[in-house]
PDB file of all heavy atoms in Angstrom:
ATOM      1  N   GLY A  67     108.984  -1.240 193.736  1.00  0.00           N
ATOM      2  CA  GLY A  67     108.824  -1.410 195.033  1.00  0.00           C
ATOM      3  C   GLY A  67     109.200  -0.170 195.862  1.00  0.00           C
ATOM      4  O   GLY A  67     110.156   0.450 195.505  1.00  0.00           O
ATOM      5  N   ASP A  75     102.988   6.747 198.044  1.00  0.00           N
ATOM      6  CA  ASP A  75     101.921   7.875 197.752  1.00  0.00           C
ATOM      7  C   ASP A  75     102.787   9.071 197.092  1.00  0.00           C
ATOM      8  O   ASP A  75     102.142   9.651 196.213  1.00  0.00           O
ATOM      9  CB  ASP A  75     101.237   8.335 198.994  1.00  0.00           C
ATOM     10  CG  ASP A  75     100.299   7.290 199.551  1.00  0.00           C
ATOM     11  OD1 ASP A  75      99.993   6.341 198.691  1.00  0.00           O
ATOM     12  OD2 ASP A  75      99.884   7.298 200.861  1.00  0.00           O
ATOM     13  N   ARG A  83     104.009  10.076 186.462  1.00  0.00           N
ATOM     14  CA  ARG A  83     104.049  10.552 185.047  1.00  0.00           C
ATOM     15  C   ARG A  83     105.492  10.696 184.477  1.00  0.00           C
ATOM     16  O   ARG A  83     105.817  10.228 183.278  1.00  0.00           O
ATOM     17  CB  ARG A  83     103.393  11.837 184.730  1.00  0.00           C
ATOM     18  CG  ARG A  83     101.800  11.740 185.032  1.00  0.00           C
ATOM     19  CD  ARG A  83     101.145  13.196 184.825  1.00  0.00           C
ATOM     20  NE  ARG A  83     101.331  13.615 183.466  1.00  0.00           N
ATOM     21  CZ  ARG A  83     101.432  14.822 183.042  1.00  0.00           C
ATOM     22  NH1 ARG A  83     101.425  15.836 183.953  1.00  0.00           N
ATOM     23  NH2 ARG A  83     101.571  15.132 181.918  1.00  0.00           N
ATOM     24  N   PRO A  94     109.314  -1.414 176.022  1.00  0.00           N
ATOM     25  CA  PRO A  94     108.361  -1.496 175.039  1.00  0.00           C
ATOM     26  C   PRO A  94     107.067  -1.918 175.516  1.00  0.00           C
ATOM     27  O   PRO A  94     106.916  -2.655 176.454  1.00  0.00           O
ATOM     28  CB  PRO A  94     108.979  -2.425 173.975  1.00  0.00           C
ATOM     29  CG  PRO A  94     110.440  -2.518 174.287  1.00  0.00           C
ATOM     30  CD  PRO A  94     110.457  -2.437 175.729  1.00  0.00           C
ATOM     31  N   GLU A 121     126.733   3.619 193.137  1.00  0.00           N
ATOM     32  CA  GLU A 121     126.494   4.957 193.701  1.00  0.00           C
ATOM     33  C   GLU A 121     126.229   4.891 195.121  1.00  0.00           C
ATOM     34  O   GLU A 121     125.441   4.039 195.695  1.00  0.00           O
ATOM     35  CB  GLU A 121     125.444   5.671 192.950  1.00  0.00           C
ATOM     36  CG  GLU A 121     125.747   5.882 191.333  1.00  0.00           C
ATOM     37  CD  GLU A 121     124.560   6.645 190.691  1.00  0.00           C
ATOM     38  OE1 GLU A 121     123.751   7.126 191.451  1.00  0.00           O
ATOM     39  OE2 GLU A 121     124.755   6.785 189.516  1.00  0.00           O
ATOM     40  N   THR A 190      92.929  25.708 179.238  1.00  0.00           N
ATOM     41  CA  THR A 190      93.457  24.440 179.093  1.00  0.00           C
ATOM     42  C   THR A 190      94.484  24.181 180.246  1.00  0.00           C
ATOM     43  O   THR A 190      94.490  23.034 180.773  1.00  0.00           O
ATOM     44  CB  THR A 190      94.185  24.353 177.787  1.00  0.00           C
ATOM     45  OG1 THR A 190      93.385  24.735 176.598  1.00  0.00           O
ATOM     46  CG2 THR A 190      94.736  22.939 177.513  1.00  0.00           C
ATOM     47  N   ARG A 207      97.465  14.314 179.737  1.00  0.00           N
ATOM     48  CA  ARG A 207      98.494  14.575 178.743  1.00  0.00           C
ATOM     49  C   ARG A 207      98.161  15.925 178.009  1.00  0.00           C
ATOM     50  O   ARG A 207      97.157  16.022 177.389  1.00  0.00           O
ATOM     51  CB  ARG A 207      98.498  13.323 177.873  1.00  0.00           C
ATOM     52  CG  ARG A 207      99.837  13.267 176.860  1.00  0.00           C
ATOM     53  CD  ARG A 207      99.985  12.067 176.180  1.00  0.00           C
ATOM     54  NE  ARG A 207     101.292  12.024 175.441  1.00  0.00           N
ATOM     55  CZ  ARG A 207     102.352  11.510 176.130  1.00  0.00           C
ATOM     56  NH1 ARG A 207     102.047  10.754 177.191  1.00  0.00           N
ATOM     57  NH2 ARG A 207     103.591  11.347 175.577  1.00  0.00           N
ATOM     58  N   GLU A 247      95.187  23.858 164.306  1.00  0.00           N
ATOM     59  CA  GLU A 247      95.566  24.355 162.876  1.00  0.00           C
ATOM     60  C   GLU A 247      96.844  23.928 162.413  1.00  0.00           C
ATOM     61  O   GLU A 247      97.007  24.046 161.238  1.00  0.00           O
ATOM     62  CB  GLU A 247      95.237  25.907 162.881  1.00  0.00           C
ATOM     63  CG  GLU A 247      96.266  26.672 163.651  1.00  0.00           C
ATOM     64  CD  GLU A 247      95.625  26.911 165.011  1.00  0.00           C
ATOM     65  OE1 GLU A 247      94.512  26.375 165.297  1.00  0.00           O
ATOM     66  OE2 GLU A 247      96.307  27.702 165.896  1.00  0.00           O
ATOM     67  N   GLN A 256      97.502  13.569 160.527  1.00  0.00           N
ATOM     68  CA  GLN A 256      95.984  13.715 160.621  1.00  0.00           C
ATOM     69  C   GLN A 256      95.369  12.366 160.728  1.00  0.00           C
ATOM     70  O   GLN A 256      94.537  12.053 161.557  1.00  0.00           O
ATOM     71  CB  GLN A 256      95.427  14.367 159.401  1.00  0.00           C
ATOM     72  CG  GLN A 256      95.745  15.981 159.369  1.00  0.00           C
ATOM     73  CD  GLN A 256      95.159  16.547 158.198  1.00  0.00           C
ATOM     74  OE1 GLN A 256      94.113  16.180 157.729  1.00  0.00           O
ATOM     75  NE2 GLN A 256      95.895  17.551 157.700  1.00  0.00           N
ATOM     76  N   GLU A 258      96.856   9.558 161.957  1.00  0.00           N
ATOM     77  CA  GLU A 258      97.072   9.014 163.335  1.00  0.00           C
ATOM     78  C   GLU A 258      96.173   9.642 164.371  1.00  0.00           C
ATOM     79  O   GLU A 258      95.624   9.048 165.333  1.00  0.00           O
ATOM     80  CB  GLU A 258      98.463   9.115 163.606  1.00  0.00           C
ATOM     81  CG  GLU A 258      98.958   8.686 165.030  1.00  0.00           C
ATOM     82  CD  GLU A 258      98.532   7.246 165.290  1.00  0.00           C
ATOM     83  OE1 GLU A 258      98.607   6.449 164.390  1.00  0.00           O
ATOM     84  OE2 GLU A 258      98.233   6.950 166.455  1.00  0.00           O
ATOM     85  N   ARG A 272      88.377  11.992 178.171  1.00  0.00           N
ATOM     86  CA  ARG A 272      87.891  13.429 177.992  1.00  0.00           C
ATOM     87  C   ARG A 272      89.007  14.151 177.065  1.00  0.00           C
ATOM     88  O   ARG A 272      90.167  13.689 177.133  1.00  0.00           O
ATOM     89  CB  ARG A 272      87.910  14.135 179.362  1.00  0.00           C
ATOM     90  CG  ARG A 272      87.007  13.538 180.341  1.00  0.00           C
ATOM     91  CD  ARG A 272      87.067  14.336 181.756  1.00  0.00           C
ATOM     92  NE  ARG A 272      86.723  13.377 182.759  1.00  0.00           N
ATOM     93  CZ  ARG A 272      86.560  13.774 184.059  1.00  0.00           C
ATOM     94  NH1 ARG A 272      86.909  14.987 184.366  1.00  0.00           N
ATOM     95  NH2 ARG A 272      86.047  12.930 184.968  1.00  0.00           N
ATOM     96  N   ASP A 307      84.879  42.532 176.824  1.00  0.00           N
ATOM     97  CA  ASP A 307      84.390  43.828 176.858  1.00  0.00           C
ATOM     98  C   ASP A 307      85.105  44.619 177.849  1.00  0.00           C
ATOM     99  O   ASP A 307      85.988  44.286 178.614  1.00  0.00           O
ATOM    100  CB  ASP A 307      82.783  43.753 177.190  1.00  0.00           C
ATOM    101  CG  ASP A 307      82.485  43.018 178.449  1.00  0.00           C
ATOM    102  OD1 ASP A 307      83.384  42.999 179.353  1.00  0.00           O
ATOM    103  OD2 ASP A 307      81.429  42.564 178.695  1.00  0.00           O
ATOM    104  N   LYS A 318      95.211  41.070 187.730  1.00  0.00           N
ATOM    105  CA  LYS A 318      96.651  40.683 187.405  1.00  0.00           C
ATOM    106  C   LYS A 318      97.623  41.648 188.204  1.00  0.00           C
ATOM    107  O   LYS A 318      98.637  41.293 188.627  1.00  0.00           O
ATOM    108  CB  LYS A 318      96.865  40.879 185.812  1.00  0.00           C
ATOM    109  CG  LYS A 318      96.150  39.731 185.134  1.00  0.00           C
ATOM    110  CD  LYS A 318      96.677  39.749 183.620  1.00  0.00           C
ATOM    111  CE  LYS A 318      96.028  38.692 182.885  1.00  0.00           C
ATOM    112  NZ  LYS A 318      96.488  37.323 183.503  1.00  0.00           N
ATOM    113  N   LEU A 402      80.943  48.625 148.993  1.00  0.00           N
ATOM    114  CA  LEU A 402      81.363  47.633 149.824  1.00  0.00           C
ATOM    115  C   LEU A 402      80.260  46.888 150.662  1.00  0.00           C
ATOM    116  O   LEU A 402      80.225  45.802 150.958  1.00  0.00           O
ATOM    117  CB  LEU A 402      82.524  48.044 150.839  1.00  0.00           C
ATOM    118  CG  LEU A 402      83.761  48.514 150.147  1.00  0.00           C
ATOM    119  CD1 LEU A 402      84.812  48.924 151.178  1.00  0.00           C
ATOM    120  CD2 LEU A 402      84.459  47.584 149.306  1.00  0.00           C
ATOM    121  N   ASN A 431      82.308  39.193 164.331  1.00  0.00           N
ATOM    122  CA  ASN A 431      80.994  39.658 164.310  1.00  0.00           C
ATOM    123  C   ASN A 431      80.924  41.245 164.137  1.00  0.00           C
ATOM    124  O   ASN A 431      80.056  41.749 163.367  1.00  0.00           O
ATOM    125  CB  ASN A 431      80.163  39.415 165.569  1.00  0.00           C
ATOM    126  CG  ASN A 431      79.909  37.845 165.817  1.00  0.00           C
ATOM    127  OD1 ASN A 431      79.661  37.206 164.760  1.00  0.00           O
ATOM    128  ND2 ASN A 431      79.874  37.350 166.954  1.00  0.00           N
ATOM    129  N   ARG A 471      99.861  50.155 152.558  1.00  0.00           N
ATOM    130  CA  ARG A 471     100.610  51.428 152.650  1.00  0.00           C
ATOM    131  C   ARG A 471      99.745  52.619 152.925  1.00  0.00           C
ATOM    132  O   ARG A 471     100.046  53.560 153.659  1.00  0.00           O
ATOM    133  CB  ARG A 471     101.445  51.578 151.492  1.00  0.00           C
ATOM    134  CG  ARG A 471     102.688  50.833 151.331  1.00  0.00           C
ATOM    135  CD  ARG A 471     103.767  51.311 150.266  1.00  0.00           C
ATOM    136  NE  ARG A 471     103.189  51.224 148.977  1.00  0.00           N
ATOM    137  CZ  ARG A 471     103.267  50.089 148.264  1.00  0.00           C
ATOM    138  NH1 ARG A 471     104.017  49.081 148.632  1.00  0.00           N
ATOM    139  NH2 ARG A 471     102.778  50.027 146.966  1.00  0.00           N
TER     140      ARG A 471
END
Side-chain angles (χ1 to χ4, degrees):
D75 290 344
R83 292 180 61 213
E121 294 183 5
T190 305
R207 194 172 190 95
E247 58 271 4
Q256 291 179 31
E258 176 57 32
R272 306 178 201 180
D307 57 24
K318 292 188 179 298
L402 295 181
N431 286 329
R471 281 195 297 271

